[in-house]
Amino acid sequence: MEAIITKNLTKRFKDLVAVDNVCLGVGEGKIFGLLGPNGAGKTTLISMLSTLLKPTSGDGWVWGQNIRKDQDRVRRAIGIVFQDPSLDDELTTYENLEFHGRLYGVAREVRRKRIKDLLTLMELADRERAMVKTFSGGMKRRLEIARGLLHYPKVLFLDEPTLGLDPQTRRRIWEYIRNLNEVEKVTIVLTTHYMEEADYLCGRIAIIDHGRIIALDLSQNLKNIVGGDVISLLVLHPQEVAKLLSPFPWIKQVKIHDGVLDLSVEKGEEKIPKIMKIIGGNGLEVRSISLHKPTLEDVFLHFTGKTIREEEGSFTETMRMRMRAWRKR
Ligand SMILES: Nc1ncnc2c1ncn2[C@@H]1O[C@H](COP(=O)(O)OP(=O)(O)OP(=O)(O)O)[C@@H](O)[C@H]1O
Ligand SMILES: [Mg+2]
């Protein structure tokens, strides 16, 4: 069964199309990833799926329930961990969970046992009576995930589950997410702008940019689209070198971003000497050269002509300009 289906799901905020005709399906029991830069529309998309935002057009179903007509049933079927912290710092671990359990009408006897089991699953059992304000960022995140699972949801939305955590803590959260997907058999939709996170955790991944899904497949299939290996060249005159290399048929794609030249080739290690010879033979200089297997960043670059980081840079810059203009008014 498909746990989630959307058909041309769209959300507009005045002139801005935050989510643009999104069509996707998420299989039961899977971990599905929404990967995209800041402002891509990830949170807006899951806000519609969790009935917190009304779609402008299009439609969606979560666990067989319609997000427009069966909002209560959708809400009962889902758990959410929001991007922004949402625990009550002045309460204990137990109180936070107890409150949520009551809100969702989980019976008292069930609640006790469920809280205990989830705290064990997230390795927080010894913190049951501790105040949340004494917690580290990683512990808070784990508690939020436990809370999202308390009422036995079929689908769990995790919006940027490791944002702002250090790499080590992030890895641990990944293990918890994998584990609970297995133990709880819960379908998970997670948003992230960390490629490694999507790569490590997710089966199918939708790459989203400016509200649109630009690619959707298993990570490996997405990487196969880029094809072969990626050779990155740091050169003094990237435009000139690009022009020089483009005609060679064994170079499948040439892209310049951030002053770096990326070439897609088969058997990269054999092509490096050839490339060096061509560039050197034309009196141009190579500062550095590296070879890697395609990553999801290369996939993003392939479809958008930019890296996720560059896209976020331009987004931040746009926001800054908007803020400046707004202040001047
Ligand atoms: N309530 C709102 N009113 C107006 N514009 C909004 C609103 N919510 C989101 N947007 C805009 O919609 C776009 C998508 O925002 P959204 O929060 O869904 O992105 P995101 O992919 O979750 O980004 P991030 O990675 O930063 O969390 C952005 O341009 C944002 O400014
Ligand atoms: Mg977001």
Side-chain angles (χ1 to χ4, degrees), residues 38-39 41-44 83 159-160 191:
N38 288 144
K42 305 179 294 293
T43 298
T44 307
Q83 182 168 344
D159 198 0
E160 306 272 1
T191 79

Side-chain angles (χ1 to χ4, degrees), residues 66-77:
N66 187 271
I67 58 169
R68 289 172 178 278
K69 297 182 200 132
D70 307 312
Q71 297 196 345
D72 282 346
R73 290 206 189 118
V74 171
R75 285 180 195 178
R76 251 175 275 147

Side-chain angles (χ1 to χ4, degrees), residues 97-108:
L97 296 177
E98 170 75 6
F99 181 71
H100 181 90
R102 284 190 192 187
L103 207 65
Y104 275 83
V106 181
R108 194 154 163 237

Side-chain angles (χ1 to χ4, degrees), residues 13 16 18 36-45 83 159-160 193 312 315 319 322:
F13 296 110
L16 179 92
N38 288 144
K42 305 179 294 293
T43 298
T44 307
L45 177 55
Q83 182 168 344
D159 198 0
E160 306 272 1
H193 59 255
E312 297 200 323
F315 176 79
M319 288 307 283
R322 271 194 217 149

Side-chain angles (χ1 to χ4, degrees), residues 150-208:
L150 194 67
H151 55 287
Y152 301 91
K154 305 290 185 198
V155 179
L156 181 67
F157 292 103
L158 299 175
D159 198 0
E160 306 272 1
T162 66
L163 191 69
L165 301 178
D166 62 82
Q168 212 182 339
T169 312
R170 182 176 300 157
R171 288 229 149 232
R172 280 191 69 199
I173 299 273
W174 291 357
E175 294 314 324
Y176 288 112
I177 293 175
R178 269 199 170 173
N179 186 242
L180 67 92
N181 171 245
E182 256 177 58
V183 176
E184 295 273 317
K185 310 273 178 251
V186 62
T187 305
I188 296 175
V189 176
L190 71 87
T191 79
T192 183
H193 59 255
Y194 298 120
M195 303 158 291
E196 327 85 69
E197 183 159 299
D199 215 357
Y200 186 80
L201 283 176
C202 302
R204 292 199 322 142
I205 297 167
I207 300 185
I208 175 164

